């Protein structure tokens, strides 16, 4: 059982963190680093190693997210664990994949709206899980299933972007072309983000490991 909030707040922050929390913070650092690398790429220094490093950091973020869950189940619980995990996941599996899509060519007005909606769906998904986790565990302390796809599934989009980048389908060559729609453009490829966001806020049940 997690420590009471008052107990956690009465000690220095770093002393209240457990090993799993540091892995979670590592996850957040990976997502933030990937965003920085995307900005560096857009700035005008499009060196392949820069974007490769961004891809690699998001994969590492997934590994750290999985590892912190394993360690948390087998060690002392953290008063900050659930909130830290959600905030880190927003960065690494919400904002970072959206920035990566923007970096590789999804820069139309409608693209931007879809990417923002994707991030908002991820935030809402995590908030819903945190609020309903106790009810979903049915008093056992273990959540049996996720409601909606977990936000780390956005790494599937990252994988597709890796393939697109490798095949040169970025910038003006983005798969699906570009549609002019009223006030701006839409790249149909961005709809993969719309699908991912819709699945995250859906009511489908995904068994939890």
């Amino acid at each position: 059982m997690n420590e009471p909030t008052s107990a956690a707040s009465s000690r220095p922050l770093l002393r209240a963190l457990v090993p799993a929390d540091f892995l979670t913070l590592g996850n957040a650092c990976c997502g933030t680093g990937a965003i920085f690398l995307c900005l560096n790429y857009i700035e005008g220094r499009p060196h392949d190693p820069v974007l490769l490093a961004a891809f690699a950091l998001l994969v590492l973020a997934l590994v750290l997210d999985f590892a912190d869950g394993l360690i948390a189940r087998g060690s002392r619980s953290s008063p900050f664990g659930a909130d830290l995990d959600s905030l880190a996941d927003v960065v690494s599996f919400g904002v970072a994949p959206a920035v990566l899509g923007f970096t590789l060519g999804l820069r139309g007005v409608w693209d931007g709206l879809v990417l923002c909606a994707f991030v908002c769906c991820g935030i809402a998904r995590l908030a819903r899980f945190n609020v309903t986790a106790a009810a979903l565990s049915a008093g056992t302390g273990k959540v049996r299933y996720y409601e909606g796809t977990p936000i780390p599934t956005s790494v599937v989009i990252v994988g597709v972007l890796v393939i697109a980048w490798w095949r040169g389908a970025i910038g003006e060559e983005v798969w699906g072309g570009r549609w002019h729609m009223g006030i701006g453009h839409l790249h149909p490829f961005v709809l993969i983000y719309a699908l991912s966001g819709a699945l995250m806020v859906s009511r489908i049940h995904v068994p939890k490991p």
Side-chain angles (χ1 to χ4, degrees):
M1 181 177 295
N2 290 342
E3 297 181 46
T5 302
S6 58
S9 62
S10 65
R11 66 175 68 175
L13 176 60
L14 290 180
R15 290 185 60 189
L17 299 177
V18 300
D21 293 334
F22 289 100
L23 292 179
T24 301
L25 293 173
N27 167 10
C29 287
C30 288
T32 304
I35 293 171
F36 290 162
L37 291 169
C38 285
L39 295 175
N40 188 73
Y41 185 91
I42 291 175
E43 187 184 35
R45 295 194 291 273
H47 303 304
D48 288 353
V50 169
L51 214 54
L52 278 174
F55 293 140
L57 281 176
L58 294 182
V59 173
L60 179 57
L62 181 65
V63 172
L64 291 173
D65 184 56
F66 180 74
D68 75 46
L70 288 179
I71 292 178
R73 285 192 287 270
S75 62
R76 180 169 63 91
S77 61
S78 164
F80 307 116
D83 289 329
L84 276 180
D85 191 63
S86 293
L87 293 170
D89 285 356
V90 167
V91 175
S92 297
F93 308 119
V95 178
V99 171
L100 187 58
F102 182 88
T103 299
L104 294 180
L106 304 179
R107 302 183 189 177
V109 172
W110 298 108
D111 298 336
L113 291 175
V114 172
L115 293 174
C116 286
F118 164 78
V119 174
C120 288
C121 286
I123 294 171
R125 161 68 178 75
L126 290 164
R128 180 175 68 182
F129 177 80
N130 288 347
V131 169
T132 61
L136 292 176
S137 67
T140 65
K142 178 177 174 57
V143 177
R144 296 169 298 165
Y145 60 83
Y146 295 110
E147 198 167 51
T149 54
I151 191 173
T153 56
S154 66
V155 295
V156 173
I157 298 177
V158 175
V160 174
L161 289 172
V162 170
I163 297 171
W165 169 79
W166 184 261
R167 297 177 66 88
I170 60 175
E172 295 300 319
E173 304 299 322
V174 170
W175 285 327
R178 184 178 68 171
W179 298 350
H180 181 72
M181 298 174 59
I183 62 172
H185 294 92
L186 170 77
H187 292 87
F189 183 82
V190 80
L191 297 179
I192 192 173
Y193 284 91
L195 175 61
S196 178
L199 289 173
M200 283 191 282
V201 296
S202 70
R203 302 301 297 270
I204 64 174
H205 291 179
V206 179
K208 187 178 184 299

